[in-house]
């Protein structure tokens, strides 16, 4: 009755298709915009973390040089400078584990061989066993620093991908 006399209004099929195509276009453009924003943020993050990654590469190079010799105080000057830069990197990115690297560098610096250890060894003021123990500790500390550096670099890689 009331329903039979009511005018029937319906959309034509062209309007329905146009609305569907517009909706799909809107969804695609929103998806593309979100993708571009994420890509830009990842690129910005990678650019921000790039100097820290390169700093860790420098630490690895210095460690390779130090691994080939029994380190004394003068040999640690470049490592001390890099430790300062690692501390600055920790301030920039406190969520990365730069503190671990600094702690391992501190342990390594405590294992430095005494000045003129050759003379001290010949005068029997230091034993060969003590020198060998310090040398072993240096090797162990270098390994720990390398593992910490690798862990931070892997974390940077995960964050920038």
């Amino acid at each position: 009755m009331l329903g039979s006399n009511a005018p029937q209004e319906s959309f034509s099929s062209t309007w329905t298709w146009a609305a569907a195509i517009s909706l799909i276009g809107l969804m695609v453009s929103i998806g593309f915009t979100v993708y571009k924003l994420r890509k830009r943020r990842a690129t910005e993050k990678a650019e921000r973390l790039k100097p820290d990654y390169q700093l860790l590469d420098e630490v690895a190079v210095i460690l390779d040089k130090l691994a080939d010799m029994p380190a004394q105080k003068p040999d640690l000057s470049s490592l001390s400078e890099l430790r300062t830069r690692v501390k600055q990197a920790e301030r920039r990115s406190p969520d990365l584990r730069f503190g671990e690297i600094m702690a391992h560098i501190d342990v390594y610096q405590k294992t430095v061989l005494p000045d003129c250890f050759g003379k001290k060894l010949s005068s029997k003021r230091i034993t060969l066993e003590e020198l060998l123990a310090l040398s072993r500790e240096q090797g162990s500390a270098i390994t720990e620093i390398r593992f910490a550096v690798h862990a931070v670099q892997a974390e940077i890689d995960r964050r920038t991908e």
Side-chain angles (χ1 to χ4, degrees):
M1 299 176 220
L2 191 58
S4 61
N5 290 336
Q8 290 189 352
E9 295 182 23
S10 65
F11 290 110
S12 67
S13 64
T14 56
W15 282 105
T16 306
W17 280 107
I21 291 172
S22 297
L23 181 63
I24 290 171
L26 178 65
M27 291 175 67
V28 168
S29 67
I30 289 173
F32 186 69
T33 303
V34 168
Y35 172 77
K36 293 283 270 181
L37 285 174
R38 283 187 180 175
K39 190 77 166 168
R40 184 181 311 150
R41 285 184 185 159
T43 303
E44 288 171 356
K45 185 182 278 189
E47 287 299 317
R48 186 177 54 84
L49 292 175
K50 186 177 179 180
D52 296 337
Y53 197 91
Q54 291 172 343
L55 169 65
L56 296 176
D57 282 342
E58 289 179 45
V59 171
V61 168
I62 294 298
L63 289 176
D64 288 342
K65 289 179 184 176
L66 290 173
D68 293 339
M69 68 176 130
Q72 291 181 292
K73 247 183 193 167
D75 301 325
L76 299 181
S77 61
S78 56
L79 187 63
S80 297
E81 175 193 333
L82 288 176
R83 185 197 179 283
T84 303
R85 291 174 52 201
V86 168
K87 189 172 186 174
Q88 291 169 347
E90 181 186 31
R91 289 183 189 137
R92 282 191 307 269
S93 303
D95 53 332
L96 293 173
R97 299 180 303 180
F98 287 109
E100 234 178 85
I101 296 171
M102 290 186 324
H104 291 303
I105 289 174
D106 291 342
V107 168
Y108 178 74
Q109 288 175 334
K110 290 177 184 173
T111 63
V112 69
L113 296 178
D115 294 335
C116 304
F117 67 90
K119 289 180 184 176
K120 290 181 180 180
L121 183 61
S122 62
S123 68
K124 309 261 181 188
R125 288 191 294 181
I126 189 170
T127 65
L128 182 60
E129 289 81 23
E130 291 172 336
L131 288 176
L132 289 174
L134 282 175
S135 183
R136 281 190 217 103
E137 288 175 21
Q138 283 182 0
S140 174
I142 285 176
T143 302
E144 292 295 323
I145 297 169
R146 283 183 178 153
F147 281 134
V149 165
H150 178 71
V152 173
Q153 284 182 326
E155 181 65 26
I156 291 173
D157 286 340
R158 274 193 296 274
R159 291 181 182 195
T160 57
E161 290 178 352

